[in-house]
């Protein structure tokens, strides 16, 4: 007869190197697990030190402090009578491993090192850790003295083994191992393992949760069993937001789901595996009346909901952990800055909802941020007015329409709004140049060259950046309030990919919540905000063509548009980005793919021209990515140069060999179609 077991998984908002805070959150999760009757508690990957320690993993302090936290866990009465599975780095025979440490009643049962390391995209685990390559093999690990004094053990098993309790058998996976084609759970299941655990440090990407859920459910769909997944949640200290989604699956069906976005800090024939015998049962003798879990329908967020929730939670973590008093956003009245404002407004909604639901930690953070120990955030616009400043920086090239759109949106979300004019500063800077050189640059519409026009546009953009930081530092001082503001950037992922931004302009900020999101998704998000937040000001913003408003107006109307300036549409940019990064396509491969994708709308020659133009502009502007504002990571084609998209920033922008291959292919195709070649394809 099968027995009913109660197991607990969690999503913890751990913070890199915050050992004290991480320990407190681990203890809290254990208390919750025990209060629910759980006999086994699983936590996220590297939860003791925090997943995002990066090169701090090289430091002996990180290892030392991790063992000190483990000591506190082992000796605490809170960890008695429950198997605890925690994550931390461990040095074994002078080799550093990413490990699970599994213990019960002051004794370590097993240290299980990670076997498949994540090393693509944002992940660099091979930089800091070595994969355990000895499948189904254990060695003796000599414990540090501080741990020996608590456990009374000199050595413990270290390696690829499973736990055999009185009533079942458990096997562990760590994050990437679930995604690998030869996942350990496959052969574990064939060897009699019934419960599979996975501690993850899996970050949010739009539309990724569905793939994660499918993998977990498929793990037990064939051979049966229980699969438990724990994940990090929150901003761990950098560009990534870990989106929780702790879950339990049984026989291929989801039976328990944790929230994806939250401000809460805590929620055959095979070679046999070595078995660590555990004199402990996960089930209770009188479990006949214990209800078993029934399958549930997983609640998937739409991409628009993900944008509303993920970056908002990331901003809240960044704000409370940076100990600043709020945000400042240059609000232009366009889609990008308006979407950024809406994400801050969504953050305010999440804070008010969390406080309403009794989250004391969020309330304490909100009170500290606004410097009022009696304050209770109940109304999102009112809270927004306290923590969010928007600023419309007009010039003689700005239209009254964008000024009005920005003002109306600020009123509806409740931000403290500033209107200012930058013309005096622009004229002063250009005047200095004219005094030194004796030349007065002109816009192209006034007879100037393209160089003059671009320089004049860049001066406006860079002065806005300088003023943004000035107002971020002193606006609260001028209002008689303490603290400073974080400057928010609002360049989307497509603009960054194309390089359609001024280096060191308003895109240069402290953080950017939309830097990993496409223009297409941002427009859909704006529509979502119109419908769900009743922000009617967004309707006119949606219908207006995107524009930088850096060139002179024509009859009082905007003549400059983004897509005309870029020489490509935002929709095309998204396609180029996905082919370049996700499909790993260079110029020639991209051309070959697009002549089929666009065969109904473009000739091969037109495709060739578009591909060449994109790669020229991408390579000319790649240097801008080295100074790109840290952005929320939401797309797998992000050009973030920091660690996700590692490429040169000085290219031979002629791409002579690659473009010649394209030209030859175009000639072949046109010859095949009987089209005479009469123009130079360059």
């Amino acid at each position: 007869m099968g027995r009913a077991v109660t197991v607990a998984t969690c999503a913890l908002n751990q913070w890199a190197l915050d050992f004290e805070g991480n320990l407190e959150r681990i203890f809290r999760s254990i208390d919750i697990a025990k209060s629910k009757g759980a006999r086994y508690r699983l936590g996220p990957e590297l939860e003791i030190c925090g997943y995002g320690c990066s090169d701090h993993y090289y430091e002996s302090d990180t290892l030392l402090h991790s063992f000190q936290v483990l000591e506190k866990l082992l000796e605490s009465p809170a960890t008695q009578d429950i198997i605890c599975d925690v994550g931390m780095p461990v040095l074994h025979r002078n080799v550093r491993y990413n490990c699970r440490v599994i213990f019960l009643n002051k004794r370590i049962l097993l240290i299980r090192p990670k076997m498949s390391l994540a090393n693509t995209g944002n992940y660099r685990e091979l930089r800091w850790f070595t994969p355990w390559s000895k499948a189904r093999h254990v060695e003796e690990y000599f414990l540090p003295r501080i741990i020996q004094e608590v456990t009374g053990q000199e050595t413990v098993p270290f390696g690829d083994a499973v736990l055999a309790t009185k009533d079942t058998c458990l096997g562990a996976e760590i994050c990437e191992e679930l995604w690998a084609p030869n996942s350990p759970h496959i052969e574990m299941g064939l060897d009699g393992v019934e419960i599979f655990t996975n501690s993850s440090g899996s970050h949010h990407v739009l539309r990724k949760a569905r793939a994660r859920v499918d993998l977990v459910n498929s793990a037990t769909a064939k051979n049966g069993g229980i699969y438990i997944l724990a994940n990090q949640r929150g901003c761990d200290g950098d560009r990534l937001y870990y989106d929780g989604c702790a879950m339990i699956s049984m026989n291929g069906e989801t039976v328990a789901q944790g929230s994806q976005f939250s401000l809460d800090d805590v929620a055959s024939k095979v070679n046999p595996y070595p078995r660590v015998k555990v004199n402990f049962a996960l089930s209770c003798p009188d479990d006949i009346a214990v209800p078993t879990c029934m399958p549930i329908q997983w609640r998937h967020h739409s991409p628009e909901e993900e944008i509303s929730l993920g970056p908002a939670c990331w901003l809240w973590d960044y704000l409370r952990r940076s100990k600043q008093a709020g945000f400042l956003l240059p609000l232009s009245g366009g889609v990008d800055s308006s979407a950024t404002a809406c994400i801050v407004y969504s953050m305010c909604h999440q804070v008010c909802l969390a406080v309403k639901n009794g989250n004391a930690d969020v309330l304490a953070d909100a009170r500290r941020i606004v410097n009022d120990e009696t304050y209770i955030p109940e109304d999102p616009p009112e809270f927004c007015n306290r923590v969010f400043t928007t600023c419309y920086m007009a010039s003689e090239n700005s239209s009254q329409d964008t000024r009005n759109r920005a003002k109306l949106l600020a009123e509806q979300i409740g931000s403290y709004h500033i209107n200012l004019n930058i013309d005096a500063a622009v004229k002063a800077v250009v005047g200095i140049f004219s005094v030194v050189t004796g030349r007065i640059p002109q816009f192209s519409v006034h007879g100037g060259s393209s160089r003059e026009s671009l320089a004049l546009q860049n001066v406006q953009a860079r002065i806005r950046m300088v003023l943004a930081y000035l107002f971020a530092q002193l606006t609260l001082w001028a209002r008689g309030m303490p603290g400073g503001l974080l400057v928010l950037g609002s360049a989307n992922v497509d603009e960054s990919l194309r390089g359609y931004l001024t280096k060191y302009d308003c895109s240069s900020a402290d953080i950017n919540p939309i830097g990993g999101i496409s223009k297409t998704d941002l427009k859909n998000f704006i529509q979502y905000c119109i419908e769900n937040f009743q922000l009617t000001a967004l309707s006119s913003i949606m219908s207006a063509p995107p524009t930088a408003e850096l060139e002179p107006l024509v009859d009082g109307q905007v003549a400059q548009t983004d897509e005309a300036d870029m020489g490509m549409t935002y929709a095309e940019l998204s396609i180029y980005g996905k082919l370049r990064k996700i499909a790993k396509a260079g110029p020639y491969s991209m051309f070959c793919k697009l002549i089929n994708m666009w065969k109904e709308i473009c000739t091969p020659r037109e495709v060739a021209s578009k591909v060449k133009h994109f790669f020229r502009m991408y390579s000319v502007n790649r240097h801008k990515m080295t100074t790109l504002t840290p952005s929320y990571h939401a797309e797998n084609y992000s050009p973030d140069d920091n660690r996700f998209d590692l490429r040169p920033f000085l290219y031979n922008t002629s791409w002579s060999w690659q473009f010649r291959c394209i030209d030859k292919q175009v000639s072949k195709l046109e010859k095949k179609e009987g089209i005479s070649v009469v123009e130079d394809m360059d």
Side-chain angles (χ1 to χ4, degrees):
M1 174 180 172
R3 309 305 298 265
V5 300
T6 304
V7 293
T9 181
C10 57
L12 302 188
N13 197 334
Q14 303 299 72
W15 192 5
L17 302 178
D18 180 24
F19 292 97
E20 187 169 353
N22 292 348
L23 174 62
E24 188 274 330
R25 285 181 283 272
I26 292 171
F27 270 135
R28 203 187 315 176
S29 70
I30 294 171
D31 288 342
I32 294 172
K34 292 180 73 173
S35 71
K36 302 292 185 180
R39 307 272 282 174
Y40 174 91
R41 175 266 181 201
L42 174 71
E45 184 175 11
L46 294 166
E47 60 183 312
I48 285 180
C49 58
Y51 183 83
C53 293
S54 298
D55 282 0
H56 289 289
Y57 286 122
Y58 291 135
E59 300 168 2
S60 60
D61 283 9
T62 303
L63 295 165
L64 170 64
H65 298 327
S66 294
F67 272 110
Q68 290 171 336
V69 170
L70 180 62
E71 176 191 19
K72 296 291 185 184
L73 289 168
L74 285 164
E75 65 186 12
S76 171
T79 61
Q80 296 300 294
D81 299 323
I82 183 171
I83 296 177
C84 293
D85 188 337
V86 298
M88 59 179 279
V90 175
L91 196 69
H92 175 54
R93 298 183 179 178
N94 289 326
V95 179
R96 193 181 304 101
Y97 295 98
N98 174 348
C99 293
R100 306 299 305 167
V101 179
I102 307 171
F103 61 91
L104 170 67
N105 295 339
K106 295 187 178 182
R107 293 185 66 81
I108 294 176
L109 305 174
L110 173 67
I111 300 179
R112 202 292 203 165
K114 191 171 183 179
M115 302 174 71
S116 297
L117 299 184
N119 209 56
T120 59
N122 286 296
Y123 294 105
R124 295 286 182 275
E125 291 184 8
L126 280 173
R127 180 178 174 93
W128 310 299
F129 301 111
T130 297
W132 181 254
S133 59
K134 303 173 184 178
R136 302 172 194 77
H137 175 78
V138 294
E139 299 175 352
E140 283 189 321
Y141 175 76
F142 286 83
L143 292 170
R145 278 178 291 178
I146 60 171
I147 304 300
Q148 290 184 29
E149 292 171 1
V150 177
T151 67
Q153 300 165 284
E154 183 179 8
T155 64
V156 296
F158 184 102
D160 184 24
V162 297
L163 299 183
T165 66
K166 290 181 177 181
D167 48 4
T168 189
C169 188
L170 298 90
E173 289 187 328
I174 305 177
C175 198
E176 179 73 9
E177 294 169 359
L178 171 64
W179 300 76
N182 58 338
S183 297
H185 71 257
I186 298 171
E187 294 202 357
M188 284 183 192
L190 296 175
D191 194 34
V193 174
E194 296 176 318
I195 299 177
F196 310 93
T197 66
N198 187 305
S199 54
S200 286
S202 181
H203 65 78
H204 174 240
V205 174
L206 294 179
R207 307 168 179 87
K208 177 181 176 181
R210 191 178 300 272
R212 186 190 296 137
V213 172
D214 289 345
L215 280 171
V216 170
N217 284 335
S218 67
T220 59
K222 289 185 178 179
N223 292 333
I226 299 171
Y227 200 103
I228 312 167
L229 181 133
N231 193 23
Q232 167 100 348
R233 175 191 284 142
C235 170
D236 194 20
D238 60 15
R239 294 160 169 79
L240 305 181
Y241 181 82
Y242 299 87
D243 59 338
C245 286
M247 64 176 293
I248 300 175
S249 174
M250 184 168 65
N251 299 334
E253 300 278 0
T254 302
V255 296
Q257 171 190 358
S259 61
Q260 185 175 7
F261 305 104
S262 172
L263 301 186
D264 295 340
D265 278 344
V266 181
S268 64
K269 179 181 179 182
V270 294
N271 295 323
Y273 279 80
R275 276 169 162 72
V276 176
K277 294 185 178 179
V278 184
N279 187 27
F280 186 77
L282 296 187
S283 59
C284 299
D286 56 346
D287 64 357
I288 191 69
V290 176
T292 56
C293 293
M294 300 300 292
I296 63 173
Q297 186 67 39
W298 186 274
R299 163 75 167 90
H300 285 287
H301 291 290
S302 68
E304 296 76 34
E305 289 174 316
E306 290 185 282
I307 294 171
S308 176
L309 297 170
C313 293
W314 182 74
L315 284 180
W316 178 247
D317 275 355
Y318 203 102
L319 177 60
R320 67 191 182 95
R321 287 174 169 172
S322 66
K323 294 182 169 55
Q324 297 302 299
F327 298 111
L328 180 138
L329 171 70
L331 184 61
S332 69
V335 167
D336 294 336
S337 61
S338 298
T340 303
C342 290
I343 289 172
V344 177
Y345 185 60
S346 176
M347 180 199 79
C348 296
H349 264 272
Q350 297 304 309
V351 169
C352 292
L353 181 61
V355 170
K356 182 180 179 180
N357 291 335
N359 192 317
D361 291 333
V362 172
L363 177 59
D365 285 330
R367 286 175 169 173
R368 180 185 53 76
I369 289 167
V370 303
N371 195 41
D372 184 347
E373 289 302 314
T374 64
Y375 176 67
I376 299 177
E378 297 175 314
D379 179 51
E382 187 276 333
F383 182 56
C384 193
N385 185 263
R386 289 175 177 254
V387 300
F388 190 32
T389 297
T390 51
C391 183
Y392 183 83
M393 303 184 189
S395 76
E396 61 185 7
N397 303 320
S398 303
S399 67
Q400 189 62 42
D401 288 341
T402 53
R403 184 196 302 266
N404 293 340
R405 291 176 199 134
K407 182 175 183 293
L408 182 57
L409 178 60
E411 290 173 354
Q412 291 186 357
I413 65 175
S415 66
Y416 180 82
H417 190 61
I418 299 169
N419 272 306
L420 59 87
N421 191 290
I422 67 171
D423 286 338
V426 173
K427 289 175 182 176
V429 172
V430 175
I432 293 173
F433 176 84
S434 298
V435 168
V436 172
T437 64
R439 303 289 298 275
I440 301 176
Q442 300 289 338
F443 284 102
S444 54
V445 296
H446 297 152
S449 66
S450 59
R451 280 194 295 172
E452 295 170 65
S453 185
L454 185 59
L456 290 173
Q457 293 181 62
N458 288 342
V459 166
Q460 298 170 70
R462 288 176 176 135
I463 283 176
R464 286 184 171 122
M465 183 270 288
V466 173
L467 288 172
Y469 274 97
L470 176 64
F471 276 81
Q473 287 183 288
L474 295 181
T475 292
L476 295 184
W477 169 77
R479 296 171 65 187
M481 301 164 65
L485 304 173
L486 293 164
V487 179
L488 295 181
S490 58
N492 64 63
V493 70
D494 298 323
E495 289 174 342
S496 298
L497 177 67
R498 163 62 172 74
Y500 185 64
L501 51 93
T502 299
K503 203 174 187 180
Y504 306 118
D505 71 345
C506 275
S507 64
S508 298
D510 292 313
I511 51 175
N512 179 359
I514 70 165
I517 305 175
S518 71
K519 191 78 162 189
T520 301
D521 281 334
L522 287 175
K523 286 184 175 180
N524 293 336
F525 169 63
I526 290 289
Q527 186 61 44
Y528 170 89
C529 292
I530 294 173
E531 297 169 0
N532 289 271
F533 294 146
Q534 289 75 53
L535 300 176
T536 55
L538 295 172
S539 297
S540 59
I541 293 170
M542 273 281 286
S543 60
T547 174
E549 286 197 335
L550 295 171
E551 292 185 358
L553 303 175
V554 177
D555 297 328
Q557 299 298 313
V558 173
Q560 180 185 28
T561 64
D562 290 354
E563 293 186 338
D565 278 357
M566 293 190 299
M568 58 192 74
T569 67
Y570 281 107
E572 289 172 342
L573 260 175
S574 290
I575 294 172
Y576 297 147
K578 290 171 183 174
L579 290 176
R580 181 197 69 97
K581 178 68 177 178
I582 301 174
K584 301 177 176 63
Y588 181 69
S589 297
M590 185 180 293
F591 166 76
C592 292
K593 292 177 184 294
L594 287 177
I595 56 174
N596 289 306
M597 290 175 60
W598 290 347
K599 62 184 178 182
E600 302 298 330
I601 57 174
C602 293
T603 66
R605 184 176 294 272
E606 290 170 336
V607 173
S609 177
K610 288 175 178 289
V611 169
K612 289 179 183 180
H613 181 60
F614 165 71
F615 272 98
R616 285 194 189 101
M617 294 300 100
Y618 156 75
S619 56
V620 164
N621 291 296
R622 179 67 194 188
H623 65 95
K624 297 177 182 177
M625 298 306 97
T626 62
T627 60
L628 201 64
T629 296
S631 300
Y632 180 92
H633 181 84
E635 280 287 2
N636 280 329
Y637 68 92
S638 169
D640 169 28
D641 184 73
N642 177 262
R643 65 179 182 180
F644 180 71
D645 190 44
L646 304 181
R647 298 169 193 254
F649 55 85
L650 178 62
Y651 282 93
N652 180 342
T653 58
S654 67
W655 299 88
S656 56
W657 186 281
Q658 296 92 328
F659 287 2
R660 190 158 55 246
C661 292
I662 292 175
D663 292 344
K664 289 179 180 178
Q665 190 62 32
V666 170
S667 296
K668 287 181 182 178
L669 291 169
E670 290 184 336
K671 186 175 181 180
K672 184 178 179 181
E673 296 295 328
I675 301 173
S676 60
V677 180
V678 295
E679 59 179 311
D680 182 2
M681 284 176 283
D682 287 320

